[in-house]
Amino acid sequence: MGRLVVVSNRLADPRKPAAGGLAVALGETLRRTGGLWFGWSGKVVEGGTPGEGELHVHQAGSVTLAELDLCQDDHDAYYRGYANGVLWPVFHYRLDLAHFESGHLGGYRRVNQLFARKLFPLLKRDDIVWIHDYHLIPLAAELRAMGCEARIGFFLHIPLPPPPILTAIPSHEWLMRALFAYDLVGFQNHADLQHFAQYVQAEATAEPVGANQFRAFNSTVHAGAFPIGIDVADFQRLGRAKEARDTYESTKAEYSRRRLLIGVDRLDYSKGLPQRIRAFRELLRLYPENRHSATLLQIASPSREDVEAYGDIQRELESLCGSINGDFGDFDWMPIRYIHRTVARKRLPGLYRACAVALVTPLRDGMNLVAKEFVAAQDEEDPGVLVLSRFAGAAEQMKQALIINPYDTHGAAQVIQQALQMSLSERRERHAALMENIREFDVHWWCREFLDTLRATRAAPVAA
Ligand code: ADP
Ligand code: G6P
């Protein structure tokens, strides 16, 4: 069986904790299989030459890490400008936050060419190449142009919007055509796969040539839905270790007279944090018995702070939390504990277990792994309740969660109250069903399913 080569913009040392679904899932996958992980080193070189970057290759346990530096101009245009200033907002249905600048598209193409130039010489004949996420959509086309004939798969970790939104991107034809250089393109759920099918039929007049197989631009691409999961057993092992147990005990002791609700997210506008905080305020207004009792622990890790919209969301959140604590708080109780930090991964299961309710309420999310981690961390005898947005990819699978519409403040508050009041038997029933699902469709299933499907496809001809 060929070596696995994973390519993603964000790399993480698989031996160390990371925040962000992609790095967490791939770190866990690669630690098991070994192989090569190629991506950006995280280093930005001031004054470097655009389209150039030094590559550092080293061993991290069973994984070879190949880390590429980027110069300031490339990083600005490719990561900040195009990936996070155009693709991230549009793919999360936020056309209002997208800034289209042709220089950024140029930088995006340049960095994808640079990735291809540096990666191609490292590839062996029978490698299986798995490219991840919106930063690297044109990478396979660049590799094919250099003569790469390896099997190449692509997985999009974020949603794919329907054609009326996607086509607002000025270069959408070029972008979507680039997907036809892959052998297999994977999405998080069936809705996204449907959007892909709608796009290629309407815009590229592609013919479906079999189940989930499309032909256009002289190429055939296979597509499928592969919902990503977590490493349930590993996360539960983490939950039994000392750090998680200590965190559980100290959190329980500190909040002994309170009901805890928890949110754990990157500080991103897609996560619906202001809407969540407003729903919590509505809960306190509608159901006063929660005052002096319910506390929302919101942990938001700093993310993409050099992108304008992220500064705006941070200020909005700080002001909202401050005003609720000012309006409702008392000498011995603050309704919201807002922590702007990444929490050590080994403490997370303990925190999740100490909480009665998790609020996973994005406005749009490819999957959302926090929802799955929360369920995996619960004590099955006395489990907490998951409140989940209908707009998270996870809602397609996690039907026994309490599903909310995060835009409906009043409705969300009512559901949070339902979660806080749920009987033990109903909590157990829902938790058991959710556990069964996240166990069956865990990260190993995801990886196996994608790679087996990729291996079963024929290598695509060189893209036109
Ligand atoms: P995204 O990929 O958009 O960041 P996910 O919910 O899919 O969202 O994945 C987030 C991952 O990062 C999860 O594994 C979660 O535990 C971790 N994470 C997110 N925020 C924090 C935080 N503040 N501290 C520690 N880990 C975090
Ligand atoms: C999401 C994206 C990933 C990204 C992660 C963290 O999970 O799908 O591609 O790595 O967020 O964002 P960052 O910009 O810090 O890599």
Side-chain angles (χ1 to χ4, degrees):
M1 202 151 41
R3 175 182 68 155
L4 177 62
V5 176
V6 168
V7 192
S8 61
N9 175 67
R10 178 66 64 186
L11 278 180
D13 185 328
R15 297 164 304 184
K16 295 191 188 142
L22 179 144
V24 170
L26 290 183
E28 278 162 1
T29 297
L30 269 169
R31 214 176 19 242
R32 265 185 317 110
T33 58
L36 173 70
W37 194 0
F38 184 103
W40 172 44
S41 64
K43 191 165 154 207
V44 179
V45 181
E46 298 264 356
T49 312
E52 298 296 335
E54 204 179 322
L55 186 69
H56 313 268
V57 182
H58 58 100
Q59 201 62 30
S62 57
V63 181
T64 308
L65 288 178
E67 305 186 295
L68 182 61
D69 297 340
L70 291 179
C71 77
Q72 187 75 56
D73 283 355
D74 279 351
H75 181 260
D76 281 356
Y78 148 81
Y79 175 80
R80 192 175 56 79
Y82 199 73
N84 289 312
V86 173
L87 298 182
W88 180 273
V90 174
F91 281 31
H92 286 86
Y93 298 61
R94 292 298 300 271
L95 288 175
D96 59 316
L97 295 178
H99 294 289
F100 304 105
E101 283 181 38
S102 57
H104 291 165
L105 175 59
Y108 181 74
R109 298 182 75 154
R110 195 165 62 236
V111 171
N112 271 274
Q113 279 159 1
L114 171 64
F115 264 60
R117 259 197 347 267
K118 297 285 184 176
L119 172 62
F120 190 45
L122 304 182
L123 294 180
K124 297 180 190 156
R125 223 188 144 67
D126 59 350
D127 282 346
I128 293 268
V129 184
W130 192 4
I131 296 173
H132 292 263
D133 235 356
Y134 57 104
H135 316 83
L136 300 174
I137 293 172
L139 183 53
E142 297 296 348
L143 286 168
R144 299 274 186 233
M146 292 174 183
C148 175
E149 289 179 356
R151 230 157 258 230
I152 314 182
F154 176 77
F155 186 78
L156 185 68
H157 289 251
I158 66 176
L160 187 78
I165 292 177
L166 196 54
T167 50
I169 298 176
S171 48
H172 64 88
E173 299 95 339
W174 168 77
L175 202 63
M176 296 302 283
R177 180 193 183 107
L179 288 176
F180 280 79
Y182 290 95
D183 297 289
L184 173 66
V185 173
F187 300 98
Q188 292 277 26
N189 58 51
H190 290 97
D192 296 337
L193 176 61
Q194 233 0 72
H195 296 156
F196 176 72
Q198 286 162 4
Y199 179 95
V200 294
Q201 274 161 23
E203 300 288 326
T205 50
E207 315 135 31
V209 285
N212 293 337
Q213 227 178 307
F214 302 89
R215 183 153 184 85
F217 314 119
N218 289 327
S219 295
T220 302
V221 71
H222 296 249
F226 304 90
I228 196 169
I230 62 165
D231 189 331
V232 177
D234 192 59
F235 202 69
Q236 291 187 326
R237 209 169 309 125
L238 212 59
R240 290 191 293 272
K242 181 173 178 339
E243 287 86 350
R245 281 189 283 115
D246 288 352
T247 303
Y248 171 78
E249 296 297 346
S250 60
T251 312
K252 275 296 211 194
E254 186 174 352
Y255 295 94
S256 57
R257 291 179 301 118
R258 315 257 186 254
R259 310 293 307 284
L260 268 183
L261 299 93
I262 192 166
V264 176
D265 313 75
R266 278 181 310 100
L267 212 177
D268 194 295
Y269 51 80
S270 63
K271 302 293 179 185
L273 296 172
Q275 288 77 2
R276 182 183 305 170
I277 303 292
R278 281 191 213 104
F280 186 66
R281 177 168 62 193
E282 185 69 357
L283 174 88
L284 299 178
R285 196 185 68 77
L286 278 181
Y287 308 102
E289 68 267 30
N290 291 310
R291 297 182 197 169
H292 288 94
S293 152
T295 298
L296 171 58
L297 193 58
Q298 177 59 58
I299 304 165
S301 58
S303 187
R304 306 177 197 162
E305 291 182 311
D306 49 355
V307 180
E308 200 183 312
Y310 288 75
D312 296 344
I313 192 84
Q314 183 179 340
R315 280 184 290 279
E316 187 182 356
L317 199 60
E318 281 165 4
S319 129
L320 259 174
C321 292
S323 85
I324 295 177
N325 280 343
D327 290 345
F328 289 92
D330 214 330
F331 296 112
D332 60 348
W333 170 68
M334 279 298 150
I336 302 183
R337 281 257 177 127
Y338 166 58
I339 297 163
H340 186 207
R341 208 175 311 133
T342 302
V343 170
R345 191 158 178 78
K346 50 191 177 208
R347 294 186 59 198
L348 272 181
L351 267 181
Y352 288 140
R353 196 163 66 240
C355 294
V357 175
L359 301 181
V360 180
T361 57
L363 303 181
R364 200 56 71 173
D365 213 329
M367 172 54 63
N368 199 295
L369 295 182
V370 170
K372 298 185 174 184
E373 291 170 355
F374 177 77
V375 170
Q378 295 310 301
D379 169 6
E380 59 184 27
E381 296 302 319
D382 184 17
V385 180
L386 174 64
V387 173
L388 181 63
S389 163
R390 59 178 298 157
F391 302 119
E396 206 176 88
Q397 293 175 300
M398 304 183 82
K399 296 199 188 307
Q400 297 81 8
L402 292 185
I403 304 293
I404 62 145
N405 169 5
Y407 295 97
D408 176 6
T409 310
H410 187 82
Q414 289 176 320
V415 174
I416 297 172
Q417 175 72 350
Q418 185 191 341
L420 285 166
Q421 307 229 306
M422 192 180 285
S423 68
L424 179 61
S425 61
E426 185 176 350
R427 280 191 280 127
R428 279 186 185 156
E429 224 167 89
R430 285 178 184 267
H431 177 258
L434 288 168
M435 264 319 283
E436 201 179 308
N437 187 282
I438 64 167
R439 264 209 188 99
E440 182 172 354
F441 301 105
D442 67 356
V443 76
H444 309 302
W445 173 89
W446 171 71
C447 199
R448 217 173 31 242
E449 197 69 13
F450 186 93
L451 292 175
D452 285 354
T453 312
L454 178 57
R455 285 193 189 99
T457 61
R458 271 180 305 114
V462 174

